[in-house]
Amino acid sequence: MIDVIALLKSLINCQSITPVQAGALDLAQELLSKAGFTVQRLPAGEVDNLWATDNACPRALLAGHIDVVPPGDETAWHSAPFIAEERDGYIYGRGAADMKAGVAAMLCAATRLRQQGINGIAILLTSDEEGPALHGTRHVVEWWQKNNEECIDYAIVGEPTCEEFFGDTIKTGRRGSLTARIIVHGQQTHVAYPHRGDNPNHQLINALETMRQNWPPCLTAEASSAPSTGFQVVSLKSGAGANNITPASATATINFRYAPADDPAQLQQTLESSLTQTTGKNWTCDWEHSAEPFFTATDSVLVHALQEEIDKVTGRRPALSTGGGTSDGRFLRTICRELVEFGPRNETIHAPNERVGIEEVRQLATIYEKTVQGLLLSKN
Ligand SMILES: [Zn+2]
């Protein structure tokens, strides 16, 4: 029987800063092979990925990443970031919460389910979630799509989703991300003779303020549990280098975090027609669509099963959230019918002295095990 805490400590001791796996995937491979899984490595570029199945057609996927962000200022740490240390009921180390606790709990749950003879489990581990995310989960999803026509029924991603208490939050989706770099062109002149030029700053301010005031423009028409689209001005840049000049151009970067119900092309059109209305034709705009949204219905089988198990183990009824940045869930959702994210508390992720509660890691392993057990046994 694997001890989840001993496994977590061994994973933390691997200095797996993106994209280096530093032995973490080797450790997982050894453990899964011993438990009877067929393990494949799917490397791409500098990134290493692991895919394991129990030889049955996968119906439940447990997914995560073993890569971590750098420790940052090491003098701010009370113990070495890559030597797991147990203090006051916590395990300290880089990646403890994001997301080696989730990985350790998933590996533990998978081996226990294997021992019970339950089939239909797949494990995906990548070393490229905290980085560009090009050769990690996305690559494995493309590989899956080339070789399989079927979708996997359920996926759980072990990201740290809980806020104040362990068990308080499940993520049922994430919004998409659409960024625009807008340049409004004007005519440079002396600030004391503004009528000779055309000040692009004023036009840009008007355009952005119009967008902000009128947002959201009634594009989101989904159930109240689904996320709504947000509009934010991310940065502004202008100036000609002196206080007596009005500049020739002004630049703004804006970002939409958009709901699954919204069409990015329509958002693009809304912004561009607003620019034309407020500034005339004197603008250009470059778009970057960096993440697709995904959303699993709150009354789905998976959400219900996970909620029940969290309640049984922790006594808490988790809230369903779609907050936070993007995650690898956006890629996995294309090959999984239902997908949620659930893991430990996220209070110290990416910070010095990252930690995870020992009790919550043990509870997490039980929650993963019982949820998957229930899902796979009930549908047979
Ligand atoms: Zn993470």
Side-chain angles (χ1 to χ4, degrees), residues 12 68 74 138-139 142 200 247 342 347:
I12 290 172
V68 299
E74 289 202 37
R138 196 170 87 162
H139 170 75
E142 285 166 4
F342 178 70
E347 50 164 9

Side-chain angles (χ1 to χ4, degrees), residues 65 98-99 129-130 159-160:
H65 63 89
D98 188 9
M99 61 160 276
E129 198 275 342
E130 302 287 8
E159 290 286 2

